[in-house]
Amino acid sequence: MDILTSWLRSYLPALAVDDAQLAEDLTLRGIAVEGVFAVEGGSRFEMDITTNRVDAMNHYGVAREVAAIYDVALKPLEEAIAAPIVEMVKGEGFPVRIEAKDLCGRFTARVIRGVSVGPSSGLIAEYFAALGQKAISGPVDVTNFGWLAMGQPTHVFDLDTIEGGIVVRRAKAGEKLRLLDGSERVLVAEDLVVADEVKALGLAGVMGGWDSRVTEATKNILVEAAWFDPAAIRASSRRHGLHTDASHRFERGADFDAAPLGNNLVTRMVVEQAGGEVVGPLVDMVVPEMAAKTAGRAAIALRATEVTRHLGSTADGLGISAEVVERYLTALGCGLTATGEGEYSVKLPSWRLDLEREIDLIEGVARVYGYNRFADTLPSFAGAVRELPHAEQERAIRETLRALGFSEAVSSTFSSAEEAATFGGGGVAMGNPLSAEAGMLRPSLAPGMATMLALNLHRDVGEVRLFEMGTVFTGSTAAVKEETGLALGLTGGACATALYKAEDALFYEAKGAMEALLAKFAGVVSFDRAELPGWIAPGRGARVLLGGKVVAVFGELSAAELHARKLRQPCVIATVEAQVLLETTLRSPVVQELSRYQAVERDFSFVFPDAVAWGSIDAALRGLELSALRSGRPVEIFRDAKGKAVAAGSYSLLLRVVFQSSERTLTEEEISGWSERVVDALQELGGVQRA
């Protein structure tokens, strides 16, 4: 928002620093000034005020901060902008009834009769011109002046359009209301409205109604200033796609005690701008339960020892004294009562709903004192650096995948309900999602990986190798379970070999990556094709088992998933239960002296039924328990599409076995005997040796 220094100085008559220094000092204390522009009578500050500091989103709020920083006198709010107007009051108060007491904690109303609506003049016209604020008419401009001055949104109604008294209630489902922007809204039962006895007059805390607006024909006015529940206003604002100056403040937590002062200010200035007289006293309806939760919050205990412990030493070596703490907190509106040596009970100001704990008060002291005035010291530390319990396993995962050519990526923690159901069997619904596409906490890293592969392919990056390790969520909104997950994504760049065709290369590359990764962990790695999820193309995926327990699935994305993402080339995704790996012992490296003796290779050509997988062949070789058997690996696989050389339903395998002793040179008789045992083992699996 924009702040005028001339307006600020009207509340701080003793302020002596120039505007440039003022901007720098405010920025260093968290009230950021992003731009300084010269205007008549001073400067206009373009400010970026954080959402938790709604109290500073007005001129008096910033002036309060300035008074604390420079220890200068600040005019009391009542004297500065909201002087009492009792001398103008006569008659009875306007009838007000709060029905939605859980959504409206305070409502003030006052009647002004005999006004003459015209353009604004005086300070309002001067300040609005400097700020670039659009002027509408005297009474309406006064309400805008009110929130710019003290942060309290107010509203003025044409009194003659109100039937009966004011009723603050929930809307009726399907009730229609035309707003000041000319749009007609269909309300729901969760909306809060300011109404009369017959109809809704405005969407509470968001925007007033068209039919009760103040126009040049208006003669009598009802001034409203209220406090509404932040969550209710935020929900209505989002539901109807309306973000107004009023909703911006109400949904962040307005000052509960400011409503009467805001009403006083608007009433006095409407009379100054448009004439008329005040009829009846200020009606101030308060809901005690809501007052207790806001302006009547319990005091916070503050200990000087905690201030020193958290803030440390200052650059001048004097430290933060008790006097400094008392001065700054008092200037910020807190009430301090000493309860012991260096201990206080701190009464919180009604406009600072962001203060909830002792550490918030300590942060307030540090901020006003100035972070740049503290000594540059490192915190004390005793002991040694300790790694997290699973740091070694996590490091092994990342180093292995990077060595295999994968780049680490990070995707969104959220997913849509459709993606959660497809890739994870459901997820954890969020109570207040940012959008329908991000309404669930992800139950799997697969949808994020699919999205990242698609983003690369759509930008002409045809060869991608990615992995992501992050948190996945299961359970319910009430009881969320978090675990570490791992996903791999591959597309493009895979080539055919003697063992598999080009269209299968990507799948087998992923399989090799899984083998290399799981080889780091204790346990036997095996694969099967049982119970694969629906996002994997039929016959194009596998499960991965470590020590007989399923730890991963991988495979090509199904045609439906490729079509949904407009992908024209195969993509393989693997999802790994990284939590299981983190809790699994890493395999200890074994160092063995290289043999000085010659290794001997023997090739065996066999025809096997398709039902015989490599896992069975590998297990048969290991089961021979030959001390000199160093390895057995497939060299070539052949399937005859015409069924002439190799019958349909079978495949030809060229197996290469290596024998080697670390003690002596092997004899031909030994090698022949072992070769016969290999042949017998393969024949027991149903293999037929080829000539």
Side-chain angles (χ1 to χ4, degrees):
M1 68 171 295
D2 290 347
I3 295 291
L4 295 178
T5 57
S6 57
W7 199 340
L8 284 181
R9 294 178 188 277
S10 69
Y11 306 142
L12 302 160
L15 182 63
V17 299
D18 60 31
D19 290 350
Q21 186 64 49
L22 177 60
E24 181 178 352
D25 290 340
L26 281 170
T27 301
L28 287 172
R29 287 160 175 83
I31 310 295
V33 179
E34 295 196 331
V36 180
F37 306 92
V39 295
E40 186 176 353
S43 302
R44 174 173 59 84
F45 288 171
E46 187 177 279
M47 310 195 72
D48 180 17
I49 299 173
T50 55
T51 56
N52 66 316
R53 292 301 309 276
V54 65
D55 64 290
M57 295 178 184
N58 58 85
H59 284 77
Y60 194 84
V62 175
R64 188 187 291 116
E65 294 287 318
V66 175
I69 294 169
Y70 297 111
D71 194 21
V72 296
L74 172 68
K75 287 184 179 181
L77 183 59
E78 294 84 352
E79 176 186 337
I81 56 177
I85 54 173
V86 176
E87 66 275 7
M88 294 187 288
V89 173
K90 63 180 181 179
E92 297 182 356
F94 195 80
V96 173
R97 183 171 77 253
I98 301 176
E99 292 184 354
K101 295 185 177 182
D102 57 329
L103 304 183
C104 176
R106 191 168 199 169
F107 195 96
T108 67
R110 181 183 267 129
V111 173
I112 307 173
R113 292 189 179 275
V115 299
S116 178
V117 177
S120 301
S121 60
L123 273 181
I124 293 180
E126 177 186 334
Y127 286 161
F128 278 25
L131 289 169
Q133 178 79 23
K134 180 182 178 181
I136 300 173
S137 67
V140 176
D141 293 344
V142 165
T143 63
N144 291 328
F145 182 91
W147 66 258
L148 286 167
M150 59 176 292
Q152 172 63 44
T154 56
H155 189 68
V156 287
F157 298 93
D158 186 326
L159 181 65
D160 296 327
T161 65
I162 299 176
E163 302 178 66
I166 289 291
V167 182
V168 186
R169 58 172 173 81
R170 284 179 167 81
K172 302 169 185 175
E175 186 174 10
K176 295 182 179 180
L177 174 64
R178 189 181 182 192
L179 298 176
L180 285 173
D181 62 359
S183 65
E184 185 176 75
R185 305 286 171 158
V186 179
L187 307 180
V188 300
E190 289 76 21
D191 289 324
L192 181 67
V193 295
V194 177
D196 57 22
E197 299 292 350
V198 177
K199 60 188 179 300
L201 302 174
L203 189 58
V206 181
M207 187 179 290
W210 178 271
D211 295 332
S212 59
R213 73 191 190 282
V214 170
T215 67
E216 292 182 355
T218 298
K219 298 301 179 185
N220 304 305
I221 286 176
L222 179 72
V223 179
E224 167 230 310
W227 184 94
F228 301 115
D229 177 67
I233 303 307
R234 187 182 306 115
S236 286
S237 177
R238 291 187 177 183
R239 187 180 299 119
H240 296 286
L242 296 169
H243 183 79
T244 63
D245 293 319
S247 68
H248 187 78
R249 283 149 182 81
F250 277 128
E251 67 187 34
R252 286 161 176 77
D255 180 359
F256 192 89
D257 287 345
L261 299 175
N263 199 305
N264 276 354
L265 169 66
V266 171
T267 301
R268 176 170 56 82
M269 295 194 72
V270 165
V271 172
E272 292 174 358
Q273 292 287 320
E277 63 174 353
V278 179
V279 179
L282 174 71
V283 175
D284 186 5
M285 303 294 293
V286 177
V287 179
E289 295 80 7
M290 302 302 284
K293 293 179 182 179
T294 53
R297 290 173 295 157
I300 296 176
L302 176 66
R303 295 159 290 177
T305 54
E306 286 298 289
V307 176
T308 302
R309 185 176 75 85
H310 283 284
L311 301 185
S313 57
T314 56
D316 58 14
L318 299 178
I320 302 293
S321 65
E323 180 185 357
V324 170
V325 172
E326 292 177 11
R327 184 173 79 244
Y328 285 158
L329 290 181
T330 300
L332 292 175
C334 298
L336 275 69
T337 303
T339 57
E341 184 66 28
E343 297 182 352
Y344 303 91
S345 175
V346 182
K347 181 70 174 67
L348 303 175
S350 60
W351 57 85
R352 289 298 299 275
L353 297 182
D354 59 310
L355 299 179
E356 298 177 342
R357 303 170 297 163
E358 181 183 40
I359 192 63
D360 296 331
L361 300 175
I362 296 172
E363 187 273 338
V365 171
R367 185 179 55 78
V368 177
Y369 183 81
Y371 294 119
N372 58 316
R373 297 174 62 191
F374 287 95
D376 295 329
T377 58
L378 292 172
S380 59
F381 177 75
V385 175
R386 290 177 293 178
E387 288 189 320
L388 294 174
H390 308 311
E392 192 174 359
Q393 287 90 336
E394 185 174 329
R395 184 164 50 249
I397 292 172
R398 285 193 162 93
E399 289 179 352
T400 301
L401 291 175
R402 283 197 289 264
L404 291 170
F406 288 80
S407 299
E408 186 166 6
V410 179
S411 66
S412 173
T413 308
F414 312 116
S415 68
S416 66
E418 293 77 13
E419 287 181 333
T422 299
F423 288 93
V428 180
M430 297 176 61
N432 188 23
L434 297 175
S435 66
E437 291 73 25
M440 311 286 287
L441 291 173
R442 63 185 180 191
S444 168
L445 297 179
M449 182 57 66
T451 298
M452 290 189 290
L453 292 178
L455 288 172
N456 278 276
L457 291 174
H458 292 159
R459 287 160 179 78
D460 295 328
V461 181
E463 184 177 344
V464 185
R465 301 292 184 272
L466 298 175
F467 79 92
E468 178 180 10
M469 187 156 58
T471 305
V472 294
F473 307 86
T474 55
S476 64
T477 306
V480 180
K481 182 180 179 182
E482 300 182 18
E483 290 188 337
T484 303
L486 173 67
L488 282 65
L490 308 84
T491 187
C495 301
T497 70
L499 297 177
Y500 43 75
K501 298 177 290 185
E503 56 264 32
D504 300 327
L506 199 64
F507 173 86
Y508 284 107
E509 182 182 340
K511 178 177 180 289
M514 299 304 301
E515 290 176 321
L517 174 62
L518 296 181
K520 298 290 183 179
F521 297 87
V524 177
V525 180
S526 59
F527 299 83
D528 68 27
R529 295 181 180 272
E531 300 179 22
L532 295 178
W535 55 268
I536 293 180
R540 307 296 290 177
R543 299 193 311 174
V544 189
L545 295 83
L546 181 65
K549 183 177 181 179
V550 178
V551 295
V553 295
F554 70 98
E556 293 184 6
L557 280 177
S558 66
E561 293 301 322
L562 292 175
H563 178 74
R565 291 169 173 79
K566 300 179 180 179
L567 301 179
R568 298 181 180 179
Q569 68 184 53
C571 296
V572 172
I573 290 179
T575 60
V576 185
E577 295 184 18
Q579 192 69 41
V580 175
L581 299 186
L582 296 179
E583 297 168 1
T584 301
T585 304
L586 286 171
R587 191 185 300 276
S588 298
V590 177
V591 179
Q592 186 175 2
E593 184 180 359
L594 293 175
S595 176
R596 301 177 183 180
Y597 303 98
Q598 182 69 33
V600 178
E601 295 181 350
R602 289 289 186 268
D603 288 349
F604 302 89
S605 182
F606 270 79
V607 175
F608 288 101
D610 284 342
V612 179
W614 168 252
S616 301
I617 299 172
D618 186 52
L621 294 175
R622 294 176 185 276
L624 294 175
E625 297 182 354
L626 300 176
S627 60
L629 179 60
R630 290 289 177 260
S631 67
R633 61 185 180 87
V635 177
E636 183 179 296
I637 296 175
F638 173 71
R639 284 182 170 84
D640 188 355
K642 297 181 179 180
K644 294 181 178 180
V646 178
S650 300
Y651 65 94
S652 174
L653 171 68
L654 179 60
L655 175 68
R656 180 161 296 161
V657 176
V658 178
F659 299 106
Q660 186 181 34
S661 172
S662 59
E663 300 172 352
R664 58 185 173 80
T665 301
L666 299 176
T667 66
E668 185 63 33
E669 291 77 10
E670 289 175 317
I671 296 172
S672 296
W674 292 332
S675 296
E676 289 178 5
R677 293 182 62 184
V678 169
V679 170
D680 292 341
L682 297 180
Q683 287 176 340
E684 288 180 6
L685 292 175
V688 177
Q689 190 172 17
R690 301 184 69 183

